[in-house]
Amino acid sequence: MGILEKISEIEKEIARTQKNKATEYHLGLLKAKLAKYRAQLLEPSKSASSKGEGFDVMKSGDARVALIGFPSVGKSTFLSLMTSTASEAASYEFTTLTCIPGVIEYKGANIQLLDLPGIIEGAAQGKGRGRQVIAVARTADVIIMMLDATKGEVSAGEGAGVCGHPPQQAQA
């Protein structure tokens, strides 16, 4: 029985259990199990990280830099150009599915550069592996936000200027 089936069974058990003083403890245990299984869904499994498919990358070097941006903005190309690491870059979105580390040597300092999968709207809620990407970015010393200036407008709100302030009108 997989995690989704276990979650479904627990939800059914909660729904059919009568709520009263005598069943409070039982419902509490069920809710705790439900929270545990939902957390397991959001976290990458231990077996996946052993196959090299996880996001947990051991920190190495003097600094850690994370490349964050929307899909297909050039993060993998930048990593490949700056390091000896070959990160696959293609013309379709989500070519990078895991965290790919590379190392830059600059004036005797080793700087770890992390190519992260593209983030999409709703990443903070876990959409598109967003939570894992954000968790790795939080461990970085520097975050480089990469944008593609040739793509269409970014939905920052109608008429928004720098930092969300309305743009200044030109004086004639």
Side-chain angles (χ1 to χ4, degrees), residues 59-73:
K59 189 171 184 174
S60 69
D62 300 310
R64 185 177 227 188
V65 177
L67 300 174
I68 288 219
F70 294 116
S72 300
V73 295

Side-chain angles (χ1 to χ4, degrees), residues 13 33 60 73 113 115 118 121 128:
E13 174 73 17
K33 281 184 184 179
S60 69
V73 295
L113 194 60
D115 179 16
E121 190 173 339

Side-chain angles (χ1 to χ4, degrees), residues 58-158:
M58 180 180 263
K59 189 171 184 174
S60 69
D62 300 310
R64 185 177 227 188
V65 177
L67 300 174
I68 288 219
F70 294 116
S72 300
V73 295
K75 299 180 298 292
S76 297
T77 304
F78 183 76
L79 179 80
S80 296
L81 289 173
M82 298 299 293
T83 69
S84 60
T85 304
S87 181
E88 183 182 353
S91 60
Y92 56 90
E93 294 185 344
F94 298 109
T95 310
T96 305
L97 298 174
T98 62
C99 179
I100 300 174
V103 177
I104 301 172
E105 190 173 322
Y106 181 74
K107 293 186 179 180
N110 289 327
I111 301 167
Q112 185 180 40
L113 194 60
L114 302 176
D115 179 16
L116 297 172
I119 56 171
I120 56 175
E121 190 173 339
Q125 287 76 36
K127 198 170 184 185
R129 295 187 121 180
R131 287 188 178 168
Q132 289 90 356
V133 172
I134 292 169
V136 171
R138 284 184 176 170
T139 66
D141 299 310
V142 176
I143 296 175
I144 296 177
M145 178 69 77
M146 296 190 69
L147 301 171
D148 187 352
T150 63
K151 289 199 175 178
E153 71 178 59
V154 177
S155 61
E158 197 68 48

